[in-house]
Amino acid sequence: MKKKADIFWIIAYGYILLPFLIFAVGWMKWYISLPTVAVSGICFYKACSESPRLWRPEWNRDNVIKMLFAVGIIAVWVYYSGIGKFVFQVPDHSVRNSIFNIMVESRWPVINHEILQGSPLGKQGASAAGLVYYIGFWLPSALVGKVLGLRAGYYAQAVWAVLGIVLVYYLICVLLKRVAVWPLFIFVFFSGLDILGIFLTAQDPATFECKWHLEWWGTPYQYSSMTTQLFWVFNQSIPAWVCTMMAYMQKNNRNIVFILACSMLCSTFPFVGLLLLALFFCLSRKYDEMEAVRTAGTREKIRVYISCIIKDTCTLQNVAGGGLIGITSFLYLTCNYSGAYIMGENIKGPEFDNSLAKLILFLIVEIGVYVALIYKYNKENKMFYFIVLCLSIIPPVKVGYSTDFCMRASIPALLLLTVLVIKTLAESWEKRDYRVFAGLILVLVLGSATPALEFRRTFGETFRRIKEGEIVYEEDSDPIKLLSGGNFSGSVDDSFFFQHFVKEPAP
């Protein structure tokens, strides 16, 4: 009997694939984009139909009310994040707003011929620069903006963000096998103990620049709370959350590469963290065939195991879809100028020097306390140990002009740590293990100081600016300067992608 696709998977795969499809049509030559869209569409169908069946809630009055209430909380969370230009925005939105404006108001592909002298690309002698950035999150709403206007595009950004978070929340409910609102509050307020880090390093929160952003206490190391991720790097975090949860929910490897590839155009740094997790998922599967060779020699067991992995992973959606989407996204993103700076050789200053003492304290404060509290309920869980390993080795790595790699590559593992905390809370409460439950609640309350401060800053600055007659949201960056810089663009002169894949921009 032919398997019918679950409506959730249709929405979820559509969410992560749509940005790439828009990119293919908007950026690439027609004779490349048409087969690309066709192959992606076939792989989309295969992925949806071969995804595992999920637990479904009974949509009675009680569950419907809970779900609507949760969606309302998510909408408020997104509203106060600054997405959509409704309230105060953190400084990073200046660039993100400008990128979105460029995508809405410029013809696709976006290519700038006005390179500023003295800029990174100007010094390189580039004659033109293309917009090269992880633009995937903005593409659906930018398309809306092109049709209905820029303001409508910003509204669509907020709706797209809400939809992504709702998908993540629903999967958390699936894991718990019940619709509950409390896990959403844990998700919103989950954070490391940054306030403890400030105390232990004898910094004064009143004068410390972290009064705007507590997580800066551990520079150059930082693990961002979920609210911090949403407020500062929503374009990377939301797609990464969706892809991570989708990969986690798979029962086999049949769609894992496809999911991973779809994350590249939206969440380039988180893609690296998700890649590590995907490898773990692939290599840790259990196969029935292994039972038949249980008494065989080691060489035979390895042969059968490798055969099972290859058979399980080499599907049409992984090989054709994942390969096509992944290679195309990779060729585009490698055009970025700043991506060539590995291990941060241009990041200097004593506060950026790696220190073993600083790293150990950082790991204890950010994840160590949670690890100790949830160990009892996860000591047989291999993924638990792998998450701890990932979060321990990511901080010293630097890529690009800043310490973004630590903050962003950690997003998938931090999300799964949050999920394990939620599951441990539920299990410890059911088993009346009040020591673990109370310990987690205490730590979560202390950690909530970080997201609480993010909200406080937004509330305070929004109402102050309204009172003083100022524009509440962040002013946009200069688009010409942005497209001449290294972080958001790349030279088209010697780019394989721009020379062979990109269509000629319309006059």
Side-chain angles (χ1 to χ4, degrees):
M1 183 176 177
K2 194 173 182 179
K3 184 178 177 182
K4 186 177 179 181
D6 190 312
I7 184 62
F8 171 83
W9 289 120
I10 294 174
I11 297 172
Y13 281 108
Y15 189 89
I16 65 174
L17 180 60
L18 182 60
F20 177 79
L21 296 181
I22 296 173
F23 175 78
V25 174
W27 257 253
M28 295 159 61
K29 297 174 181 177
W30 69 268
Y31 54 84
I32 298 177
S33 66
L34 283 181
T36 297
V37 171
V39 171
S40 299
I42 294 170
C43 295
F44 166 77
Y45 171 78
K46 292 284 289 181
C48 291
S49 60
E50 295 183 12
S51 288
R53 284 290 180 186
L54 299 176
W55 171 87
R56 289 184 179 183
E58 179 185 347
W59 290 114
N60 52 36
R61 184 174 180 272
D62 185 49
N63 281 341
V64 169
I65 291 174
K66 287 179 181 177
M67 184 60 70
L68 290 176
F69 184 59
V71 172
I73 294 172
I74 291 170
V76 171
W77 193 31
V78 169
Y79 177 86
Y80 281 111
S81 70
I83 301 172
K85 277 189 169 182
F86 300 114
V87 297
F88 166 79
Q89 299 175 308
V90 297
D92 280 14
H93 278 261
S94 174
V95 167
R96 305 190 198 290
N97 291 342
S98 186
I99 290 173
F100 184 71
N101 295 346
I102 291 169
M103 292 173 65
V104 171
E105 297 171 346
S106 301
R107 295 184 181 274
W108 294 351
V110 178
I111 296 178
N112 170 41
H113 293 278
E114 301 177 38
I115 306 297
L116 297 177
Q117 297 298 319
S119 67
L121 290 175
K123 293 177 181 178
Q124 193 183 33
S127 63
L131 175 64
V132 183
Y133 197 59
Y134 17 91
I135 59 175
F137 175 87
W138 290 296
L139 283 166
S141 50
L143 187 59
V144 172
K146 281 187 173 294
V147 176
L148 300 178
L150 184 61
R151 186 64 254 177
Y154 275 104
Y155 293 151
Q157 261 195 67
V159 172
W160 191 249
V162 170
L163 175 58
I165 300 172
V166 169
L167 292 174
V168 174
Y169 165 70
Y170 180 80
L171 285 179
I172 292 175
C173 291
V174 169
L175 285 172
L176 297 176
K177 289 186 169 54
R178 63 177 178 270
V179 177
V181 179
W182 67 265
L184 182 58
F185 285 100
I186 302 298
F187 186 75
V188 171
F189 288 98
F190 184 84
S191 173
L193 302 181
D194 301 296
I195 195 167
L196 179 62
I198 290 176
F199 171 77
L200 292 176
T201 53
Q203 301 180 67
D204 184 0
T207 58
F208 185 43
E209 66 176 348
C210 293
K211 65 184 179 181
W212 265 58
H213 195 49
L214 285 182
E215 285 139 324
W216 284 339
W217 74 269
T219 302
Y221 309 121
Q222 179 186 321
Y223 281 160
S224 303
S225 72
M226 297 302 158
T227 292
T228 302
Q229 292 174 35
L230 183 68
F231 281 36
W232 290 77
V233 286
F234 60 92
N235 58 304
Q236 292 190 72
S237 60
I238 297 174
W241 294 344
V242 176
C243 289
T244 300
M245 287 301 295
M246 290 176 67
Y248 177 49
M249 299 300 292
Q250 301 300 305
K251 304 300 182 185
N252 51 45
N253 300 335
R254 298 188 65 80
N255 301 321
I256 195 77
V257 179
F258 184 73
I259 295 170
L260 185 64
C262 287
S263 72
M264 286 186 69
L265 193 61
C266 302
S267 310
T268 306
F269 279 153
F271 163 82
V272 179
L274 184 54
L275 173 61
L276 295 175
L277 288 167
L279 288 172
F280 169 79
F281 293 145
C282 287
L283 297 175
S284 61
R285 306 284 187 203
K286 293 182 178 180
Y287 299 99
D288 294 337
E289 292 87 341
M290 293 303 296
E291 285 296 317
V293 294
R294 185 173 52 182
T295 59
T298 302
R299 181 175 297 180
E300 179 64 12
K301 287 181 179 178
I302 293 174
R303 186 193 67 78
V304 173
Y305 178 64
I306 293 175
S307 176
C308 290
I309 291 177
I310 293 174
K311 182 181 177 181
D312 193 30
T313 309
C314 292
T315 60
L316 177 67
Q317 56 268 38
N318 279 342
V319 177
L324 181 64
I325 296 169
I327 292 172
T328 303
S329 301
F330 176 79
L331 290 174
Y332 166 70
L333 293 166
T334 51
C335 303
N336 183 276
Y337 178 83
S338 67
Y341 289 89
I342 308 298
M343 293 305 293
E345 63 268 22
N346 57 327
I347 302 176
K348 298 179 180 179
E351 71 276 15
F352 288 97
D353 292 339
N354 290 331
S355 160
L356 181 59
K358 185 188 296 183
L359 176 61
I360 292 173
L361 178 61
F362 170 80
L363 292 176
I364 292 173
V365 169
E366 293 297 319
I367 65 169
V369 179
Y370 287 113
V371 168
L373 285 169
I374 68 175
Y375 172 77
K376 179 179 178 180
Y377 290 88
N378 292 277
K379 57 186 176 183
E380 304 297 329
N381 184 355
K382 294 178 182 178
M383 188 187 74
F384 166 72
Y385 297 101
F386 191 76
I387 289 172
V388 175
L389 175 63
C390 288
L391 293 175
S392 299
I393 64 176
I394 285 174
V397 181
K398 298 186 182 70
V399 177
Y401 283 105
S402 67
T403 57
D404 279 359
F405 185 86
C406 175
M407 295 183 281
R408 312 307 168 219
S410 59
I411 287 175
L414 286 174
L415 173 63
L416 292 184
L417 179 63
T418 308
V419 169
L420 292 182
V421 168
I422 291 172
K423 291 178 69 177
T424 302
L425 271 173
E427 193 172 352
S428 61
W429 176 258
E430 290 172 359
K431 293 182 177 180
R432 298 184 178 182
D433 188 352
Y434 297 128
R435 288 185 179 180
V436 172
F437 182 84
L440 279 174
I441 292 297
L442 176 61
V443 173
L444 287 166
V445 169
L446 290 174
S448 69
T450 299
L453 195 64
E454 296 286 328
F455 281 111
R456 179 181 179 273
R457 182 189 58 237
T458 295
F459 297 153
E461 284 297 306
T462 297
F463 294 119
R464 182 191 67 78
R465 293 186 182 192
I466 291 173
K467 182 179 179 180
E468 296 179 5
E470 300 178 8
I471 297 174
V472 294
Y473 51 81
E474 196 71 12
E475 292 187 11
D476 304 337
S477 299
D478 180 354
I480 300 300
K481 184 177 180 181
L482 185 147
L483 288 174
S484 299
N487 276 343
F488 314 103
S489 60
S491 172
V492 305
D493 300 330
D494 54 357
S495 165
F496 180 84
F497 181 82
F498 277 93
Q499 294 297 321
H500 299 284
F501 281 65
V502 171
K503 63 185 178 182
E504 291 292 329

